[in-house]
Each structure stands twice: as C-alpha cells, then as structure tokens.
Amino acid sequence: MANRDLAPYASKEPRKSGGSDGGSGSGTALITRTRTQTRRPNMYRVLLLNDDYTTQEFVVIVLRKYFNKTLEEATRIMLHVHNHGVGECGVYTYEVAETKVTQVMDYARKHQHPLQCIMEKK
C-alpha cells in the first residue's frame, strides 16, 4: 500500500515515564491507521463458439439452462453465434465464469456435441 493511503493520527495520551530511556515522557506517539480500499473484481466474458455439428436447438437449451436466458434471448444469442462464429452468453467474475464454462462443456460432451465454450477477460 502506498504512503498516501495511510492517515497518521497523533495520540493525545502522554507516554508513560519511568522507561529505560530516562526521559520525562512528555512526547506524543504517532499512530497510523490504514484505510482499506476495495476494488471491483475482474470480469470475464463467457463465449460460445460456432461449429458445424451442434444443433441450434441444443445451443438454445444450453443458454436457457446455464445462463437463465429467456427463449427469445437464447434464440437471439444462438443466431449471433451461428452467423458470426462467436456469441457472448454473459459476463461474470472469474470463479463464476469458470464454473459456467465447465458446466457447458461437460453437458455438451455428455450429449455428444462438440460445442466449445470459453471465457476471456473483459
């Protein structure tokens, strides 16, 4: 953490005397407090890639099941994937995106589809 993030405060309490330094103990102590600064987590786009074998119906099922899309949203994304080769399913934190990619890939393999799902940093 940089020094500019520290906010020094002087203590109003006098130091206790009788220490080994032999002084009178009338100085002040410097106390530093750190301010915690939170950052937003990095976000990742989850993308579906087009292939020549996965059916459009299966892609719609995946979008509805794993990305909670309505039938209209899922159809629109599926057509975008079909026409442009890639389509965004959603934007998530790293852990959520990674989980969704794994779930989609496992589901596609289970149903013998070569559907590819990837994530990329936004």
Side-chain angles (χ1 to χ4, degrees), residues 10-15 25-31:
S11 173
K12 304 263 186 217
E13 298 178 22
R15 289 187 179 165
S26 62
T28 59
L30 183 66
I31 300 173

Side-chain angles (χ1 to χ4, degrees), residues 13-120:
E13 298 178 22
R15 289 187 179 165
K16 293 183 179 181
S17 61
S20 62
D21 62 354
S24 64
S26 62
T28 59
L30 183 66
I31 300 173
T32 58
R33 292 186 185 169
T34 57
R35 290 183 286 175
T36 350
Q37 190 172 8
T38 56
R39 288 187 316 199
R40 291 185 172 264
N42 291 326
M43 301 302 282
Y44 291 81
R45 299 170 64 205
V46 176
L47 307 170
L48 284 179
L49 305 179
N50 191 36
D51 64 72
D52 294 333
Y53 301 101
T54 305
T55 63
Q56 293 178 345
E57 293 80 12
F58 185 78
V59 174
V60 169
I61 290 168
V62 165
L63 289 164
R64 296 191 72 195
K65 181 177 179 92
Y66 294 104
F67 299 98
N68 300 317
K69 302 296 182 187
T70 64
L71 180 59
E72 293 77 23
E73 290 173 316
T75 303
R76 181 183 51 77
I77 294 168
M78 176 273 299
L79 288 172
H80 190 273
V81 171
H82 179 71
N83 293 323
H84 297 94
V86 65
E88 183 179 286
C89 305
V91 179
Y92 307 95
T93 61
Y94 180 84
E95 291 80 11
V96 174
E98 185 178 46
T99 300
K100 294 215 180 258
V101 167
T102 302
Q103 289 174 330
V104 169
M105 295 293 287
D106 289 347
Y107 188 73
R109 296 302 158 263
K110 180 180 173 187
H111 291 88
Q112 299 177 349
H113 288 287
L115 182 64
Q116 293 292 306
C117 186
I118 62 170
M119 58 189 259
E120 70 175 24

